[in-house]
Amino acid sequence: MIRIGRSIDDDTDVYIDDSKSRIVLICGKRGSGKSYTMGTLIEELFRTQENILLVIDPMGIFHTMSLPNNDQEELVWKWGMNPEGLPIKIIVPGDPVERYGGEDIVRAMERRGVHFTELRLNPSDISPEGWCETFNVGINDPMGIAIHKAIIGCKKKKGHEFFIDQIIDQVEYDSKASTATKDALINRLEMAKEWGMFEDKKYRTIEEILDLNSVNILDLSTIESGRYGRRPLILDTMARSLFTKRSIARRREELGLVTYMKKVWLFIDEGQQFAPSGKSSISKEVLIRWVKEGRQPGLSLVIASQQPSAIDMEVLSQCDVIISHSLTTSIDKDYLNKLTKDYMRGELRTYINKIARTGEAVLVDDDKESVNIVKIQPRKSCHGGKEKLE
């Protein structure tokens, strides 16, 4: 059980059961405490040392968790805790010095206790659909057909370890693709090599990237956003790998065999970028599978957004915990209100309208069939965003 806060009604501690897989939505308007609350959950789950924690950070704000929350020292003490930083591992797509704009920035962050590792995706882990989405071409377009044939050819010849140069070779050997199609596709593949985020010599497993004893933060703040940006591709590739690894680990656990792959909690801030409502995204498919099929292999998800209406309802409908801070737009309230449960004494938006101040939230827990307005527990580590509990 992890503590999320205290009930506004009677000041009793409120807990969430983390002994099984959970799908959690955290939402709220800007400045209401959404990212702060996500940090509280990360701290509580890290304390148990029972899970792999991976945070998808599009804003670049969670690295400050390496520092203690000295700004709210007195409040933290009142809750029976001490300010303290956490071991933080920042995963950067490419060279950290290049991404952050200077070695002095990286060294300054390291002095704060942050550890860095470069993320370079295995080209062989990316599906033909993933390449098509990245290059903004249809799977049935000439370039889409050519990349699909090239990937299949590489898998037949190289198995699961091949790189962009081998894909280019396969494209060049394609006798049915036109010269114009091959040239255009090869140009895109050469451009992808320049992004600095793909392995070119050695296949790297997900276990080599993640640290089981740290909070792993995938910093996507320096990567272009948008439908055809690289952020969804990166998340899609890592999430698929984690799903596969945990499915294998689950089978081993059931057979009494040793496994070193712990259960996974995936945290996604600005979730609308990765599972958008009414739009396609390469990462949306794997997230829908994660929330629908992830319980058995031990996969949990925490997805946060200022705009719950911008997240695909197929993801939101699977949430068994909702933590909603204040919302002001009617479209978001109406969208979230669709998640009203039979056991509630009223509509969800009625509870949301009762939130009086920053740091308060409506907590809906399907496991307990309960609804509470809670004061969120203060952070022990430093919060990188603007909103703070008073």
Side-chain angles (χ1 to χ4, degrees):
M1 302 290 284
I2 57 174
R3 186 173 69 173
I4 183 64
R6 290 175 180 160
S7 171
I8 295 296
D9 291 334
D10 56 15
D11 204 38
T12 56
D13 289 339
V14 178
Y15 295 87
I16 295 174
D17 184 2
D18 66 320
S19 63
K20 55 187 176 182
S21 297
R22 308 303 300 265
I23 308 299
V24 183
L25 168 67
I26 304 176
C27 60
K29 67 179 182 179
R30 179 176 297 179
S32 64
K34 167 184 63 70
S35 297
Y36 191 102
T37 298
M38 180 176 277
T40 296
L41 280 176
I42 293 168
E43 289 178 354
E44 284 291 291
L45 285 162
F46 179 77
R47 176 181 54 80
T48 68
Q49 294 287 296
E50 294 176 355
N51 307 279
I52 296 171
L53 305 182
L54 175 59
V55 183
I56 309 301
D57 183 7
M59 305 299 289
I61 62 174
F62 286 95
H63 66 87
T64 60
M65 296 186 75
S66 65
L67 301 173
N69 184 8
N70 293 327
D71 289 344
Q72 296 179 291
E73 185 177 39
E74 185 175 345
L75 178 62
V76 174
W77 285 344
K78 287 181 178 179
W79 281 68
M81 303 180 298
N82 294 311
E84 60 178 308
L86 303 181
I88 298 297
K89 181 175 185 178
I90 301 291
I91 303 168
V92 183
D95 180 7
V97 173
E98 180 180 333
R99 291 295 185 197
Y100 287 118
E103 186 172 352
D104 56 338
I105 296 175
V106 173
R107 298 296 169 257
M109 294 176 70
E110 288 177 335
R111 288 193 292 272
R112 290 184 167 195
V114 172
H115 299 278
F116 287 93
T117 190
E118 291 187 27
L119 172 67
R120 297 192 182 270
L121 302 176
N122 300 305
S124 55
D125 287 344
I126 300 172
S127 66
E129 292 80 6
W131 286 111
C132 287
E133 183 84 9
T134 302
F135 294 152
N136 190 17
V137 298
I139 192 68
N140 294 317
D141 293 342
M143 273 196 290
I145 294 170
I147 190 67
H148 189 275
K149 290 172 63 178
I151 297 299
I152 297 301
C154 284
K155 287 185 182 296
K156 287 181 178 179
K157 291 182 177 181
K158 302 290 185 179
H160 72 281
E161 293 191 26
F162 58 87
F163 309 98
I164 291 180
D165 283 339
Q166 283 76 51
I167 300 174
I168 291 174
D169 289 342
Q170 285 296 122
V171 173
E172 290 178 334
Y173 295 150
D174 190 342
S175 60
K176 294 186 177 181
S178 69
T179 300
T181 295
K182 291 194 286 188
D183 287 346
L185 182 53
I186 289 170
N187 283 340
R188 283 168 169 77
L189 289 165
E190 292 285 2
M191 176 183 65
K193 288 170 62 177
E194 299 301 316
W195 293 344
M197 48 179 272
F198 292 104
E199 291 286 353
D200 58 4
K201 295 179 181 178
K202 177 182 179 296
Y203 186 90
R204 221 173 151 204
T205 65
I206 194 73
E207 293 94 331
E208 295 177 77
I209 298 169
L210 300 178
D211 186 344
L212 304 184
N213 300 308
S214 299
V215 177
N216 300 277
I217 299 175
L218 177 57
D219 187 353
L220 297 180
S221 62
T222 61
I223 301 296
E224 180 185 358
S225 62
R227 178 179 174 184
Y228 298 112
R230 285 160 268 165
R231 293 180 179 182
L233 174 68
I234 295 169
L235 174 58
D236 176 73
T237 305
M238 294 193 72
R240 288 182 186 278
S241 181
L242 286 168
F243 201 108
T244 299
K245 295 290 185 180
R246 262 310 302 175
S247 296
I248 294 171
R250 178 64 177 178
R251 295 188 194 102
R252 293 183 65 86
E253 290 165 357
E254 290 175 343
L255 294 169
L257 301 174
V258 175
T259 178
Y260 299 101
M261 190 70 181
K262 294 182 180 180
K263 295 179 180 179
V264 179
W265 277 75
L266 177 63
F267 295 81
I268 304 178
D269 200 11
E270 302 297 329
Q272 73 280 354
Q273 294 186 20
F274 306 98
S277 176
K279 301 177 183 177
S280 65
S281 170
I282 185 62
S283 55
K284 183 158 75 170
E285 180 183 339
V286 71
L287 291 178
I288 290 174
R289 186 185 180 203
W290 190 288
V291 300
K292 287 187 173 182
E293 303 175 22
R295 179 179 295 273
Q296 180 68 12
L299 301 170
S300 297
L301 174 69
V302 179
I303 189 165
S305 178
Q306 298 174 23
Q307 299 174 276
S309 61
I311 299 179
D312 192 271
M313 182 53 76
E314 205 165 355
V315 173
L316 292 193
S317 64
Q318 300 298 316
C319 292
D320 55 11
V321 176
I322 300 170
I323 304 173
S324 178
H325 292 273
S326 177
L327 292 168
T328 53
T329 64
S330 58
I331 187 171
D332 284 323
K333 287 184 180 180
D334 291 344
Y335 196 77
L336 199 62
N337 201 56
K338 296 177 182 179
L339 303 179
T340 299
K341 311 294 182 178
D342 291 340
Y343 57 80
M344 296 180 181
R345 295 187 299 273
E347 293 187 326
L348 182 52
R349 61 184 167 196
T350 302
Y351 290 94
I352 295 173
N353 289 335
K354 293 180 181 179
I355 297 173
R357 57 184 63 86
T358 301
E360 292 181 1
V362 175
L363 172 63
V364 180
D365 190 334
D366 280 357
D367 192 48
K368 299 177 181 178
E369 295 193 350
S370 64
V371 186
N372 290 288
I373 298 180
V374 300
K375 179 71 172 177
I376 298 298
Q377 176 175 299
R379 293 264 297 268
K380 294 183 288 186
S381 65
C382 181
H383 177 48
K386 292 183 178 179
E387 65 267 32
K388 294 182 180 179
L389 295 179
E390 298 299 333

